[in-house]
Amino acid sequence: WEYNEVPVLLGAALAQPVPIIALHLTRPAITTPDRDALRMPSHFEAARGAYVVRDYRAGAPRGGTLIVQGTSAMVSITKLLSQLDASDLNVKIVCATSPQLFALQPEEYRNAVLPPEDQLDSTVLTTQARWLMHDWIFNPLSEEYAMSADWDDRWRTGGTLDEVLDEAHLSPKWVLAGIERFVRERPQRLERLASALEKARG
């Protein structure tokens, strides 16, 4: 999602015995983030395919896990990090860079980033179409809360970057509204999942 991650990801991919590598480069002119100030891990963590940007705040009710992909999506998240605490939105944020590289990580690391309980209680935020995030959609309700550029199943009409992001509902105000809904409706989400599991048991 930012320039420093590009060579890291490319290097990790080239180290694998695969014949084809698809590299999706970041395009918008963004300011390289001050990861220390944002308390974010190093850009080298991108090589693992996914890493925790923000963990749950200890001792507070959890709101769910947000799996984020794409430059503009992550930029909106970085602009909201301080506001999440101020608004008491205790969400875990995971940056997703490559499902293939993530699958190659040791089980211990994968379970530290996205344990089963977080997978079950998660949704996605992406600059891509929802369908392209199916490697990161782990539960049947995730898509109902997904924030994606095709949120209304339509192509975007174009314009400036800010105009496109607003229409795509990926600007900070829209992302915040999506996170608020995701957290607010967590009890109903989990109840629906529990009810489906109970019915499956017969």
Side-chain angles (χ1 to χ4, degrees), residues 45-192:
E45 292 300 300
R48 295 176 175 263
Y51 60 92
V52 178
V53 172
R54 176 188 191 267
D55 210 341
Y56 289 119
R57 189 172 66 255
R62 296 182 174 189
T65 296
L66 187 64
I67 302 168
V68 186
Q69 177 282 326
T71 298
S72 295
M74 272 301 301
V75 168
S76 286
I77 286 295
T78 60
K79 291 178 178 179
L80 291 172
L81 285 175
S82 60
Q83 193 168 345
L84 293 178
D85 285 332
S87 301
D88 200 26
L89 297 170
N90 189 20
V91 290
K92 180 177 180 178
I93 298 173
V94 173
C95 178
T97 59
S98 168
Q100 293 81 15
L101 290 175
F102 187 61
L104 293 174
Q105 302 309 306
E107 183 178 5
E108 181 180 5
Y109 178 79
R110 286 184 280 115
N111 281 335
V113 175
L114 283 170
E117 61 269 25
D118 287 350
Q119 292 180 20
L120 195 63
D121 187 16
S122 68
T123 192
V124 296
L125 166 61
T126 178
T127 55
Q128 297 180 349
R130 290 189 306 278
W131 179 255
L132 297 176
M133 287 296 285
H134 270 73
D135 285 316
W136 302 104
I137 292 177
F138 300 106
N139 75 77
L141 300 184
S142 178
E143 282 195 67
E144 293 186 20
Y145 294 88
M147 292 165 269
S148 63
D150 63 339
W151 62 275
D152 55 355
D153 297 319
R154 298 176 68 88
W155 291 96
R156 304 283 52 98
T157 57
T160 66
L161 176 60
D162 288 341
E163 289 170 340
V164 171
L165 289 177
D166 190 62
E167 185 186 4
H169 287 194
L170 294 176
S171 58
K173 73 170 185 179
W174 286 111
V175 171
L176 180 61
I179 294 174
E180 287 174 338
R181 173 176 172 250
F182 179 62
V183 173
R184 181 177 65 249
E185 297 182 9
R186 182 175 187 257
Q188 296 96 307
R189 271 201 332 273
L190 297 185
E191 178 59 33
R192 289 173 64 190

Side-chain angles (χ1 to χ4, degrees), residues 14-54:
L14 288 170
Q16 305 305 319
V18 294
I20 298 174
I21 295 170
L23 182 64
H24 297 263
L25 292 168
T26 180
R27 294 185 216 168
I30 67 165
T31 301
T32 302
D34 183 342
R35 289 177 178 259
D36 288 337
L38 294 171
R39 293 183 290 178
M40 289 174 56
S42 164
H43 60 275
F44 285 107
E45 292 300 300
R48 295 176 175 263
Y51 60 92
V52 178
V53 172
R54 176 188 191 267

